[in-house]
């Protein structure tokens, strides 16, 4: 009896790993194309197999169900969140905004599939949960480290609402990508980062003479995250 193999993300000069990688690329490309054409609800494993020219058994060896396959395809369009410390807060924030957010929401392929995927999450709580827990949350936590570093340097106030700041960035970029079919250029990214540095969302906005100063307390920047 043969040994089951899953499709590995391994690049070899030749051999089975090379064939696995080529098959994986075809499969994920087929998933993205079918999501654009049919949406999540109407896309089937059978359609993916036919489009990618592989057997259904090949798909099920690597992905237990359609949701796992779609999430893997979405992840294939994501660049790593840049969390490297450079010593320059503005540069680090721009890198997060550009590579982790704008690069994703501005991608033509992502703009094509995102409306259908979001629509289908309304009818499929499990898809919504997995999209949030397996794709969105890990990336938000990585991005959070960059803003926390900015707070530690004193470049952002201690009561900065990090979660809200990141949601404002992502929401604005998704809105433009989905409804206006365009992304944020470098000039727009510079403006959104500069606006965040100049006036970030805060848990208390009263300043020294406002409610926060009067109470003598300060809200932890992690509160509400």
């Amino acid at each position: 009896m043969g040994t089951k193999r899953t499709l590995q993300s391994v690049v070899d000069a030749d051999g089975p790993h090379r064939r696995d990688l080529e098959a994986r690329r075809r499969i994920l490309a087929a998933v993205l194309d079918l999501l654009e054409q049919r949406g999540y609800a109407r896309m089937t494993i059978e359609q993916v197999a036919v489009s990618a020219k592989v057997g259904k058994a090949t798909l099920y060896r690597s992905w237990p169900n359609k949701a796992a396959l779609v999430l893997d395809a979405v992840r294939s369009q994501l660049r790593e969140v840049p969390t490297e410390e450079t010593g320059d807060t503005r540069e680090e924030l721009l890198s997060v905004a550009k590579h982790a957010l704008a690069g994703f929401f501005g991608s033509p392929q992502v703009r094509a599939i995102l409306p259908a995927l979001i629509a289908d999450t309304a009818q499929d709580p499990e898809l919504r949960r997995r999209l949030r827990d397996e794709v969105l949350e890990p990336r938000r936590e990585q991005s959070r480290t960059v803003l926390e570093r900015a707070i530690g340097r004193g470049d952002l106030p201690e009561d900065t609402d990090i979660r809200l700041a990141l949601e404002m960035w992502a929401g604005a970029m998704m809105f433009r990508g989905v409804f206006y079919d365009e992304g944020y250029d470098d000039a727009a990214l510079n403006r959104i980062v500069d606006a965040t540095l100049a006036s970030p969302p805060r848990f208390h906005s009263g300043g020294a003479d406002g409610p926060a100063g009067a109470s003598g307390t300060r809200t932890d920047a992690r509160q509400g995250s």
Side-chain angles (χ1 to χ4, degrees):
M1 183 173 177
T3 302
K4 281 189 176 182
R5 289 210 331 269
T6 56
L7 299 179
Q8 303 294 325
S9 296
V10 178
V11 180
D12 281 353
D14 49 31
H17 285 160
R18 174 66 174 271
R19 292 193 296 273
D20 285 352
L21 180 61
E22 290 171 351
R24 180 182 175 85
R25 286 172 175 164
R26 290 200 311 274
I27 290 166
L28 296 183
V31 171
L32 294 170
D33 287 342
L34 287 165
L35 281 173
E36 179 180 349
Q37 296 168 20
R38 304 181 64 84
Y40 177 83
R42 295 175 59 216
M43 187 192 82
T44 67
I45 292 288
E46 290 82 356
Q47 292 165 354
V48 174
V50 170
S51 181
K53 297 181 174 60
V54 298
K56 284 171 53 179
T58 299
L59 293 174
Y60 283 117
R61 278 199 299 268
S62 295
W63 297 279
N65 52 46
K66 184 171 73 170
L69 179 55
V70 167
L71 291 175
D72 211 2
V74 171
R75 274 192 290 263
S76 75
Q77 298 299 296
L78 295 172
R79 295 182 63 175
E80 289 296 319
V81 177
T83 58
E84 297 82 4
E85 184 169 3
T86 68
D88 184 326
T89 290
R90 186 175 184 276
E91 178 185 325
E92 292 173 11
L93 294 179
L94 273 172
S95 189
V96 170
K98 183 173 184 176
H99 299 300
L101 294 172
F104 176 66
F105 290 115
S107 162
Q109 202 160 27
V110 170
R111 292 204 306 266
I113 68 172
L114 200 57
L117 193 59
I118 292 174
D120 285 320
T121 60
Q123 305 300 322
D124 191 330
E126 176 65 10
L127 175 65
R128 181 173 66 247
R129 183 194 66 78
R130 293 191 63 173
L131 184 61
R132 182 188 65 233
D133 294 349
E134 297 178 25
V135 177
L136 300 179
E137 285 297 328
R139 295 178 65 79
R140 185 169 69 178
E141 285 306 305
Q142 290 175 307
S143 300
R144 164 183 282 279
T145 64
V146 179
L147 276 77
E148 287 178 337
R149 200 157 56 223
I151 292 173
R153 292 175 180 147
D155 294 328
L156 286 172
E158 290 181 14
D159 58 356
T160 295
D161 188 337
I162 294 176
R163 177 175 182 172
L164 182 56
L166 291 172
E167 288 174 349
M168 289 167 63
W169 287 11
M173 294 177 199
M174 183 172 67
F175 180 84
R176 182 174 292 192
V178 170
F179 291 103
Y180 291 94
D181 199 29
E182 61 184 60
Y184 269 45
D185 58 18
D186 287 346
L189 291 173
N190 275 279
R191 289 195 297 273
I192 199 171
V193 167
D194 287 341
T196 301
L197 285 169
S199 184
R202 301 171 68 173
F203 291 109
H204 294 302
S205 58
D209 297 324
S215 67
T217 61
R218 199 177 203 108
T219 305
D220 189 337
R222 290 180 176 271
Q223 179 180 325
S225 59

